[in-house]
Amino acid sequence: MALINPESEVVTQLAGSLSSNLFWISFVVIISFSRCFIRKYFSSLRDIPGPFLASISRVWKGIWSVYYGLKGNIHYKYQDLHEKYGPVVRIGFNEVSFASPDAAKQIYSVSTGFHKTDAYSVYPPPENPDIFTETDEFKHAIKRRMVSNAYSHKTIADMERFVDKTEERLFRQLDERFIGSESKECDLGSWLEFYAFDVIGEIVFSKDFGFLSSGTDRDNAIQFIESSFAYHSVVSFVPNYHKYLLGNPLLKFLAPPKSLLSEIALREIGVRRQGGKELDRRDLLSRFFEARATHPDKMTDLDIFAISHGALIAGSDSTASSLRAMLYYMLKNPQTYASLKSEIDEFDSEGKLSNPISYAEANKMPYLQAVMKEAMRMHPAVGISMPRYVPSKGAEIDGRWYPGGTVVGVNAWVIHRNKEIFGEDADRFRPERWLEDDSKAKVMARNMYQFGAGSHVCIGKNISLLEMTKLIPQLLRTYDIKLVDPDLVWTMNCQFFVKQKGLKVYLEKRRR
Ligand code: HEM
């Protein structure tokens, strides 16, 4: 009988498994290096400048965007990348960011066939996308067509009284809380946010959400939306990971938390479906129901929820962020504030303004229009790039060929600072640039992306312009506004929308 040395058998087995492990580790390392090498030196994007790690792996883009996404300053990081690498930057092994006007025009044009990437599909509701989250262009076109009448110019006139009503509520609260014998600090940024949410409640559901009357973020509803954006905007940079996180199908079996606003939306839709609410006006929800009655095959109850809820989410913080920017830049630039106040006073003394100021009247005030455009140029509400796939047949952008499926995009925070379009002082807030030369102003207007462009241009643009154009002059006509800290530099947090904090002011009632 042969004697077996158990120790030597173990050693042999260990040695065998070690060498097999080493083989597999080396195999994986060689394959990974080869992939990185191919991506860097054989990719059709190999000549495009950008961070080295971005060109060889998904990991750089993932870490970069998640890190700065969580820090909330990714809008500035896009500016830094373009400053360092130029107008075309490779920000992923298959992704390119552009800063040129021609590229932006082409990528977001209706007819060129560029389409939304799956970054959008991580936003809720997953089971039934709304107009914003729908990535199938064919389905998107149908959804958009169904409701485009509801958002058209014609309906804006009907909405003006909803805005008047909310404005009145805002002024009543500001009078009661901040006007008195002694100056009281007013966090105007929060009040503008309450206004933007309440006005959308009126326009979409004929419902007072009660943010203004309570003077608080009721039930933390705004905070809930902010946290949801914080997750979704960050995971949209790495959409493949969503299914392992909150997009995990197993989570469907848990009841997801609902915000106060979703509950109000569901309740209102339920009441309307049963014909239980007599309205003396046509709000957006009633127009969506009309669209469904005309096209029952194309629009379902689920679509009505998705689209009305989507309007609420897309239309509130965007407007609040833009309003805050208008006030902030004006208060930080006393000359601008003085010029706008004298335009308002002049119109007033000439009897050109009603009370409250109508949309048509405010649209005739050139300096007001210039201030609004300039604030949205300096501070576009959306702080991340709007990614699109190059159509499958490929496309030439800025004189260079890109294969189908390449992810391309433009960030408004980058293109709005383009010196060739907006002038050498593009980094400065200067509303006069819009009034100096008509033809230059037209070129600048064509290169503004605060509302996106093309087939996905903001469908609520007219509504938000109505809300903002009426409010700003009425606010300045009613109050003298002073920053509590004239040296204030506000803080910003970009979680899709760039939200600001710290617009503290003193208000004093103006004599008229
Ligand atoms: C100042 C206020 C607003 C700003 C700055 C703004 C900005 C934008 C931008 C940049 C986009 C394009 C996003 C992309 O392509 O990725 C967009 C789309 C959209 N916005 Fe707005 N928005 C505002 C107000 C509103 C309002 C008031 C509503 C609704 C009542 C609304 C509803 C939508 C919807 C549904 C889309 C998706 C459109 C589509 O893909 O066809 N927005 N918005």
Coordinates of all heavy atoms in Angstrom, one line a residue, residues 108 116 120 130-134 137 140-141 143-144 147 151 159 196 199-200 203-204 284 288 306-308 310-323 326 376 379-388 412 449-465 467-468 496-497, ligand 1:
Y108 N -30.4 69.4 -31.0 CA -31.7 69.6 -30.5 C -32.7 70.0 -31.5 O -33.8 70.4 -31.2 CB -31.7 70.6 -29.3 CG -30.8 70.1 -28.2 CD1 -29.6 70.8 -27.9 CD2 -31.1 69.0 -27.5 CE1 -28.7 70.3 -26.9 CE2 -30.3 68.5 -26.5 CZ -29.1 69.1 -26.2 OH -28.3 68.6 -25.3
K116 N -33.7 61.1 -27.1 CA -33.3 61.1 -25.7 C -32.7 59.8 -25.3 O -33.1 58.7 -25.8 CB -34.6 61.3 -24.8 CG -35.0 62.7 -24.7 CD -36.2 62.9 -23.7 CE -36.4 64.3 -23.3 NZ -37.5 64.5 -22.4
Y120 N -33.1 59.4 -19.1 CA -34.4 60.0 -18.7 C -35.4 58.9 -18.1 O -36.3 59.2 -17.4 CB -35.1 60.6 -19.9 CG -34.5 61.9 -20.4 CD1 -33.4 61.8 -21.3 CD2 -34.9 63.1 -20.0 CE1 -32.8 63.0 -21.7 CE2 -34.3 64.3 -20.4 CZ -33.2 64.2 -21.3 OH -32.6 65.4 -21.7
D130 N -44.2 59.9 -18.6 CA -44.9 61.1 -19.0 C -44.1 61.7 -20.2 O -43.2 61.1 -20.8 CB -45.0 62.1 -17.8 CG -43.8 62.9 -17.5 OD1 -42.7 62.4 -17.9 OD2 -43.9 63.9 -16.9
I131 N -44.4 63.0 -20.5 CA -43.8 63.6 -21.8 C -42.3 63.7 -21.5 O -41.5 63.5 -22.4 CB -44.4 65.0 -22.0 CG1 -45.9 64.9 -22.1 CG2 -43.9 65.5 -23.3 CD1 -46.6 66.2 -22.2
F132 N -41.9 64.1 -20.3 CA -40.5 64.3 -20.1 C -39.7 63.0 -20.1 O -38.6 63.0 -20.6 CB -40.4 65.1 -18.7 CG -38.9 65.2 -18.3 CD1 -38.1 66.1 -18.9 CD2 -38.4 64.5 -17.2 CE1 -36.8 66.2 -18.5 CE2 -37.1 64.6 -16.8 CZ -36.3 65.5 -17.5
T133 N -40.3 62.0 -19.4 CA -39.5 60.8 -19.2 C -39.6 59.8 -20.4 O -38.8 58.8 -20.4 CB -39.9 60.0 -17.9 OG1 -41.3 59.8 -18.0 CG2 -39.6 60.9 -16.7
E134 N -40.5 60.0 -21.3 CA -40.7 59.0 -22.4 C -39.5 59.1 -23.4 O -39.2 60.1 -23.9 CB -42.0 59.4 -23.2 CG -42.3 58.4 -24.4 CD -42.5 57.0 -23.9 OE1 -43.5 56.7 -23.3 OE2 -41.6 56.2 -24.2
E137 N -39.3 57.9 -29.1 CA -39.7 59.2 -29.7 C -41.1 59.1 -30.4 O -41.8 60.1 -30.4 CB -38.7 59.6 -30.8 CG -37.3 60.0 -30.2 CD -37.4 61.3 -29.4 OE1 -38.1 62.3 -29.8 OE2 -36.8 61.3 -28.3
H140 N -43.5 59.4 -27.5 CA -43.4 60.8 -27.0 C -44.2 61.7 -27.9 O -45.0 62.6 -27.4 CB -41.9 61.2 -27.0 CG -41.8 62.7 -26.7 ND1 -41.6 63.6 -27.8 CD2 -41.8 63.4 -25.6 CE1 -41.5 64.8 -27.3 NE2 -41.6 64.7 -26.0
A141 N -44.1 61.6 -29.2 CA -44.8 62.5 -30.2 C -46.3 62.4 -30.0 O -47.0 63.4 -30.0 CB -44.4 62.2 -31.6
K143 N -47.9 61.4 -27.2 CA -48.2 62.0 -25.9 C -48.2 63.5 -25.9 O -49.1 64.2 -25.4 CB -47.3 61.5 -24.8 CG -47.5 60.1 -24.4 CD -46.6 59.6 -23.3 CE -46.9 58.1 -23.0 NZ -46.1 57.5 -22.0
R144 N -47.2 64.0 -26.6 CA -47.1 65.5 -26.7 C -48.2 66.1 -27.5 O -48.8 67.1 -27.1 CB -45.7 65.8 -27.3 CG -45.5 67.3 -27.2 CD -44.0 67.7 -27.1 NE -43.9 69.1 -27.2 CZ -43.1 69.9 -26.5 NH1 -42.2 69.3 -25.8 NH2 -43.1 71.2 -26.7
V147 N -51.6 66.6 -25.7 CA -51.8 67.7 -24.7 C -51.3 69.1 -25.2 O -51.4 70.0 -24.5 CB -51.2 67.4 -23.4 CG1 -51.8 66.2 -22.8 CG2 -49.7 67.2 -23.5
Y151 N -51.5 73.4 -23.6 CA -50.4 74.2 -23.2 C -50.2 75.4 -24.2 O -49.2 76.1 -24.1 CB -49.0 73.4 -23.2 CG -48.9 72.5 -22.0 CD1 -49.2 71.2 -22.1 CD2 -48.3 73.0 -20.8 CE1 -49.0 70.3 -21.0 CE2 -48.1 72.2 -19.7 CZ -48.5 70.8 -19.8 OH -48.3 70.0 -18.8
M159 N -55.4 81.4 -18.1 CA -54.7 81.0 -16.9 C -54.3 82.3 -16.1 O -53.9 82.2 -15.0 CB -53.4 80.3 -17.3 CG -53.7 78.9 -17.8 SD -52.2 78.1 -18.2 CE -52.9 76.6 -19.0
A196 N -44.4 79.5 -6.7 CA -44.3 78.7 -7.9 C -45.1 77.4 -7.7 O -45.7 76.9 -8.6 CB -42.8 78.4 -8.2
V199 N -49.0 78.3 -7.6 CA -49.6 78.7 -8.8 C -49.8 77.5 -9.8 O -50.7 77.4 -10.5 CB -48.7 79.9 -9.5 CG1 -47.5 79.4 -10.2 CG2 -49.6 80.7 -10.4
I200 N -48.8 76.5 -9.7 CA -49.0 75.3 -10.5 C -50.2 74.5 -10.0 O -51.0 73.9 -10.8 CB -47.7 74.5 -10.5 CG1 -46.7 75.0 -11.5 CG2 -47.9 73.0 -10.8 CD1 -47.1 74.8 -13.0
I203 N -53.1 76.2 -11.6 CA -53.2 76.0 -13.1 C -53.5 74.6 -13.5 O -54.3 74.4 -14.4 CB -51.8 76.5 -13.7 CG1 -51.8 78.0 -13.7 CG2 -51.6 76.0 -15.1 CD1 -50.4 78.6 -14.1
V204 N -52.9 73.6 -12.8 CA -53.1 72.2 -13.2 C -54.4 71.7 -12.6 O -55.3 71.1 -13.3 CB -52.0 71.3 -12.8 CG1 -52.2 69.9 -13.3 CG2 -50.7 71.9 -13.3
L284 N -55.7 72.8 -16.5 CA -54.9 71.9 -17.3 C -55.6 70.5 -17.2 O -55.8 69.8 -18.2 CB -53.5 71.8 -16.9 CG -52.5 72.8 -17.6 CD1 -51.1 72.4 -17.2 CD2 -52.7 72.9 -19.1
F288 N -56.8 68.0 -20.1 CA -56.3 66.6 -20.3 C -57.5 65.6 -20.4 O -57.5 64.7 -21.3 CB -55.4 66.2 -19.2 CG -54.1 67.0 -19.0 CD1 -53.4 67.0 -17.8 CD2 -53.7 67.7 -20.1 CE1 -52.3 67.8 -17.7 CE2 -52.5 68.5 -20.0 CZ -51.8 68.5 -18.8
A306 N -49.9 60.7 -15.1 CA -48.4 60.9 -15.4 C -48.2 62.4 -15.9 O -47.3 63.0 -15.4 CB -47.9 59.9 -16.4
I307 N -49.1 62.8 -16.8 CA -48.8 64.1 -17.4 C -49.1 65.3 -16.4 O -48.4 66.3 -16.4 CB -49.6 64.2 -18.7 CG1 -49.0 63.3 -19.7 CG2 -49.6 65.7 -19.3 CD1 -49.7 63.1 -21.0
S308 N -50.2 65.1 -15.6 CA -50.5 66.3 -14.7 C -49.5 66.3 -13.6 O -49.0 67.3 -13.2 CB -51.9 66.2 -14.2 OG -52.2 64.9 -13.7
G310 N -46.4 65.2 -13.8 CA -45.2 65.6 -14.5 C -45.1 67.2 -14.6 O -44.1 67.8 -14.4
A311 N -46.3 67.8 -14.9 CA -46.3 69.3 -15.0 C -46.0 69.9 -13.6 O -45.2 70.9 -13.6 CB -47.7 69.7 -15.4
L312 N -46.5 69.2 -12.6 CA -46.2 69.7 -11.3 C -44.8 69.7 -10.9 O -44.2 70.6 -10.4 CB -47.0 68.8 -10.3 CG -47.8 69.2 -9.2 CD1 -48.6 68.1 -8.7 CD2 -46.9 69.8 -8.2
I313 N -44.1 68.6 -11.2 CA -42.7 68.4 -10.9 C -41.8 69.2 -11.8 O -40.9 69.9 -11.3 CB -42.3 66.9 -11.0 CG1 -43.2 66.0 -10.2 CG2 -40.9 66.6 -10.7 CD1 -43.2 66.2 -8.8
A314 N -42.2 69.2 -13.1 CA -41.3 70.0 -14.0 C -41.5 71.5 -13.9 O -40.6 72.3 -14.2 CB -41.5 69.5 -15.4
G315 N -42.7 71.9 -13.5 CA -43.0 73.3 -13.6 C -42.8 74.2 -12.3 O -43.0 75.4 -12.4
S316 N -42.5 73.6 -11.2 CA -42.5 74.4 -9.9 C -41.1 74.8 -9.6 O -40.8 76.0 -9.6 CB -43.0 73.5 -8.8 OG -44.1 72.8 -9.2
D317 N -40.2 73.9 -9.4 CA -38.8 74.3 -9.0 C -38.1 75.0 -10.1 O -37.2 75.9 -9.9 CB -38.0 73.1 -8.5 CG -38.2 72.9 -7.0 OD1 -38.3 73.9 -6.3 OD2 -38.2 71.8 -6.5
S318 N -38.4 74.7 -11.4 CA -37.8 75.3 -12.5 C -38.1 76.8 -12.5 O -37.3 77.7 -12.6 CB -38.3 74.7 -13.8 OG -39.7 74.7 -13.8
T319 N -39.4 77.1 -12.2 CA -39.9 78.5 -12.2 C -39.3 79.2 -10.9 O -38.8 80.4 -11.0 CB -41.4 78.6 -12.1 OG1 -41.9 77.8 -13.3 CG2 -41.9 80.0 -12.2
A320 N -39.3 78.5 -9.8 CA -38.8 79.1 -8.6 C -37.3 79.5 -8.7 O -36.8 80.5 -8.4 CB -38.9 78.1 -7.4
S321 N -36.5 78.6 -9.4 CA -35.1 78.8 -9.6 C -34.9 80.0 -10.5 O -34.0 80.8 -10.2 CB -34.5 77.5 -10.2 OG -33.2 77.8 -10.6
S322 N -35.7 80.1 -11.5 CA -35.5 81.3 -12.4 C -35.9 82.6 -11.8 O -35.3 83.6 -11.9 CB -36.4 81.1 -13.7 OG -36.1 79.8 -14.3
L323 N -37.0 82.5 -11.0 CA -37.5 83.8 -10.3 C -36.4 84.2 -9.3 O -36.1 85.4 -9.2 CB -38.8 83.5 -9.5 CG -40.1 83.5 -10.3 CD1 -41.2 83.0 -9.5 CD2 -40.4 85.0 -10.8
M326 N -33.6 86.0 -11.1 CA -34.0 87.3 -11.5 C -33.8 88.3 -10.3 O -33.2 89.4 -10.4 CB -35.4 87.4 -12.0 CG -35.5 86.7 -13.4 SD -37.2 86.3 -13.8 CE -36.9 85.1 -15.1
M376 N -31.9 84.4 -16.9 CA -32.0 83.0 -17.3 C -30.7 82.5 -18.1 O -30.4 81.4 -18.2 CB -33.3 82.7 -18.1 CG -34.5 82.8 -17.2 SD -36.0 82.2 -17.9 CE -36.5 83.7 -18.9
H379 N -28.2 82.0 -15.3 CA -28.7 80.9 -14.4 C -29.8 80.1 -15.0 O -30.9 80.2 -14.6 CB -29.1 81.5 -13.0 CG -29.4 80.4 -12.0 ND1 -28.6 80.2 -10.9 CD2 -30.4 79.6 -11.9 CE1 -29.1 79.2 -10.2 NE2 -30.3 78.8 -10.8
P380 N -29.4 79.2 -16.0 CA -30.5 78.4 -16.5 C -30.9 77.4 -15.5 O -30.1 76.9 -14.7 CB -29.8 77.7 -17.7 CG -28.4 77.9 -17.6 CD -28.1 79.1 -16.7
A381 N -32.2 77.1 -15.3 CA -32.7 76.3 -14.2 C -32.2 74.9 -14.2 O -32.0 74.3 -13.2 CB -34.2 76.3 -14.2
V382 N -32.0 74.3 -15.4 CA -31.5 72.9 -15.5 C -30.0 73.0 -15.6 O -29.4 73.7 -16.5 CB -32.1 72.2 -16.8 CG1 -31.5 70.8 -16.9 CG2 -33.6 72.1 -16.7
G383 N -29.3 72.3 -14.7 CA -27.9 72.4 -14.6 C -27.1 71.3 -15.2 O -25.9 71.3 -15.2
I384 N -27.8 70.3 -15.8 CA -27.0 69.1 -16.3 C -27.2 69.2 -17.9 O -28.1 69.8 -18.4 CB -27.4 67.8 -15.7 CG1 -28.9 67.5 -15.9 CG2 -27.1 67.7 -14.3 CD1 -29.4 66.2 -15.4
S385 N -26.4 68.4 -18.5 CA -26.5 68.3 -20.0 C -27.8 67.6 -20.4 O -28.3 66.8 -19.6 CB -25.3 67.5 -20.4 OG -25.4 67.1 -21.7
M386 N -28.3 67.8 -21.5 CA -29.5 67.1 -22.0 C -29.1 66.1 -23.0 O -28.9 66.4 -24.2 CB -30.5 68.2 -22.6 CG -30.9 69.2 -21.6 SD -32.0 70.5 -22.3 CE -30.8 71.5 -23.2
P387 N -28.8 64.9 -22.6 CA -28.2 63.9 -23.4 C -29.1 63.3 -24.5 O -30.3 63.1 -24.3 CB -27.8 62.8 -22.4 CG -28.7 62.9 -21.3 CD -29.2 64.3 -21.2
R388 N -28.5 63.1 -25.7 CA -29.2 62.5 -26.8 C -28.3 61.5 -27.5 O -27.1 61.6 -27.5 CB -29.5 63.6 -27.9 CG -30.4 64.8 -27.4 CD -31.8 64.4 -27.1 NE -32.7 65.5 -26.8 CZ -33.0 65.9 -25.6 NH1 -32.4 65.3 -24.5 NH2 -33.8 66.9 -25.4
A412 N -26.6 74.0 -20.9 CA -26.9 75.4 -21.0 C -26.0 76.3 -20.2 O -25.7 77.4 -20.6 CB -28.4 75.7 -20.6
Y449 N -30.8 78.2 -24.2 CA -31.3 76.8 -24.0 C -31.9 76.6 -22.7 O -32.0 75.5 -22.2 CB -30.2 75.8 -24.3 CG -29.9 75.7 -25.7 CD1 -29.0 76.6 -26.3 CD2 -30.5 74.8 -26.6 CE1 -28.7 76.5 -27.7 CE2 -30.3 74.7 -27.9 CZ -29.4 75.6 -28.5 OH -29.2 75.5 -29.8
Q450 N -32.3 77.7 -22.0 CA -32.9 77.5 -20.7 C -34.2 76.7 -20.7 O -34.6 76.1 -19.7 CB -33.1 78.9 -20.0 CG -34.3 79.7 -20.4 CD -33.9 80.5 -21.7 OE1 -33.1 80.2 -22.4 NE2 -34.6 81.6 -21.9
F451 N -34.9 76.7 -21.9 CA -36.1 75.9 -22.0 C -35.9 74.7 -22.9 O -36.8 74.1 -23.4 CB -37.2 76.7 -22.6 CG -37.8 77.8 -21.6 CD1 -37.6 79.1 -21.8 CD2 -38.5 77.4 -20.5 CE1 -38.1 80.1 -21.0 CE2 -39.0 78.3 -19.6 CZ -38.8 79.7 -19.8
G452 N -34.6 74.3 -23.2 CA -34.3 73.2 -24.1 C -34.6 73.7 -25.5 O -34.7 74.9 -25.8
A453 N -34.8 72.7 -26.4 CA -35.1 73.1 -27.8 C -35.6 71.8 -28.6 O -35.5 70.7 -28.1 CB -33.8 73.5 -28.5
G454 N -36.1 72.1 -29.8 CA -36.5 71.0 -30.7 C -37.8 70.3 -30.2 O -38.6 70.9 -29.5
S455 N -37.9 69.0 -30.5 CA -39.1 68.3 -30.2 C -39.4 68.2 -28.7 O -40.4 67.8 -28.3 CB -39.1 67.0 -30.9 OG -38.0 66.2 -30.4
H456 N -38.3 68.4 -27.9 CA -38.5 68.3 -26.4 C -38.4 69.7 -25.8 O -38.2 69.7 -24.5 CB -37.4 67.4 -25.9 CG -37.6 66.0 -26.3 ND1 -38.5 65.1 -25.7 CD2 -37.0 65.2 -27.3 CE1 -38.5 64.0 -26.3 NE2 -37.6 64.0 -27.2
V457 N -38.6 70.7 -26.5 CA -38.5 72.0 -25.9 C -39.6 72.1 -24.8 O -40.7 71.4 -24.9 CB -38.8 73.2 -26.9 CG1 -40.2 73.2 -27.5 CG2 -38.4 74.5 -26.4
C458 N -39.3 72.8 -23.7 CA -40.3 72.8 -22.6 C -41.7 73.2 -23.0 O -42.0 74.2 -23.6 CB -39.8 73.9 -21.6 SG -40.9 74.1 -20.2
I459 N -42.6 72.2 -22.7 CA -44.0 72.4 -23.1 C -44.7 73.5 -22.2 O -45.7 74.1 -22.6 CB -44.7 71.1 -23.1 CG1 -46.0 71.1 -24.0 CG2 -45.0 70.6 -21.7 CD1 -46.6 69.8 -24.3
G460 N -44.1 73.7 -21.0 CA -44.7 74.7 -20.1 C -44.1 76.0 -20.2 O -44.4 76.9 -19.3
K461 N -43.3 76.3 -21.2 CA -42.6 77.6 -21.3 C -43.5 78.8 -21.2 O -43.3 79.7 -20.5 CB -41.8 77.6 -22.7 CG -41.1 78.8 -23.0 CD -40.5 78.7 -24.4 CE -40.0 80.0 -24.9 NZ -39.5 80.0 -26.2
N462 N -44.6 78.7 -21.9 CA -45.6 79.9 -21.9 C -46.2 80.1 -20.5 O -46.4 81.2 -20.1 CB -46.7 79.7 -22.9 CG -46.2 79.7 -24.3 OD1 -45.2 80.3 -24.6 ND2 -46.8 78.9 -25.2
I463 N -46.4 79.0 -19.8 CA -47.0 79.1 -18.5 C -46.0 79.8 -17.6 O -46.3 80.7 -16.8 CB -47.4 77.7 -17.9 CG1 -48.5 77.1 -18.8 CG2 -47.8 77.8 -16.5 CD1 -49.0 75.7 -18.4
S464 N -44.7 79.3 -17.6 CA -43.7 79.9 -16.7 C -43.5 81.3 -17.0 O -43.3 82.1 -16.1 CB -42.5 79.0 -16.7 OG -41.9 79.0 -17.9
L465 N -43.5 81.7 -18.3 CA -43.2 83.1 -18.7 C -44.3 83.9 -18.1 O -44.1 85.0 -17.6 CB -43.1 83.2 -20.2 CG -41.7 82.7 -20.7 CD1 -41.7 82.8 -22.3 CD2 -40.6 83.5 -20.2
E467 N -46.2 83.4 -15.5 CA -46.0 83.5 -14.0 C -44.9 84.5 -13.6 O -45.1 85.3 -12.7 CB -45.6 82.1 -13.4 CG -46.7 81.1 -13.5 CD -46.1 79.7 -13.2 OE1 -45.1 79.6 -12.5 OE2 -46.7 78.7 -13.6
M468 N -43.8 84.4 -14.4 CA -42.6 85.2 -14.0 C -42.8 86.7 -14.5 O -42.5 87.6 -13.7 CB -41.4 84.6 -14.5 CG -41.1 83.2 -14.0 SD -39.6 82.5 -14.5 CE -39.7 82.4 -16.3
F496 N -30.4 68.2 -10.9 CA -31.2 68.5 -12.1 C -31.5 70.0 -12.2 O -30.9 70.7 -13.0 CB -32.5 67.6 -12.2 CG -33.1 67.8 -13.6 CD1 -32.7 67.0 -14.7 CD2 -34.1 68.7 -13.9 CE1 -33.2 67.1 -15.9 CE2 -34.7 68.8 -15.1 CZ -34.2 68.0 -16.2
F497 N -32.4 70.5 -11.3 CA -32.5 71.9 -11.3 C -31.5 72.5 -10.3 O -31.1 71.9 -9.3 CB -33.9 72.3 -10.7 CG -35.1 71.9 -11.6 CD1 -36.1 71.1 -11.1 CD2 -35.1 72.3 -12.9 CE1 -37.1 70.7 -12.0 CE2 -36.1 71.9 -13.8 CZ -37.1 71.1 -13.3
Ligands
HEM1 C1 -38.8 78.7 -15.9 C2 -39.4 77.6 -15.9 C3 -39.0 76.4 -16.7 C4 -37.8 76.0 -17.2 C5 -36.5 76.8 -17.0 C6 -38.0 74.7 -17.8 C7 -36.9 74.1 -18.5 C8 -37.1 72.9 -19.3 C9 -36.1 72.3 -20.1 C10 -34.7 72.8 -20.2 C11 -36.7 71.2 -20.7 C12 -36.0 70.3 -21.6 C13 -35.3 69.2 -20.9 C14 -34.6 68.2 -21.8 O1 -34.7 68.2 -23.0 O2 -33.9 67.4 -21.1 C15 -38.1 71.2 -20.3 C16 -38.9 70.2 -20.6 C17 -40.2 70.1 -20.1 N1 -40.9 71.0 -19.3 FE1 -40.1 72.7 -18.6 N2 -39.3 74.4 -17.7 C18 -40.0 75.3 -17.0 C19 -41.3 75.3 -16.7 C20 -42.2 74.3 -17.0 C21 -43.6 74.3 -16.6 C22 -44.3 75.5 -15.9 C23 -44.1 73.1 -17.0 C24 -45.5 72.5 -16.9 C25 -46.5 73.2 -16.5 C26 -43.0 72.4 -17.7 C27 -43.1 71.1 -18.2 C28 -42.1 70.5 -19.0 C29 -42.3 69.2 -19.6 C30 -43.5 68.3 -19.6 C31 -41.1 69.0 -20.4 C32 -40.8 67.8 -21.3 C33 -41.0 68.2 -22.7 C34 -40.7 67.1 -23.7 O3 -39.8 66.3 -23.6 O4 -41.4 67.1 -24.8 N3 -41.9 73.1 -17.6 N4 -38.3 72.2 -19.4

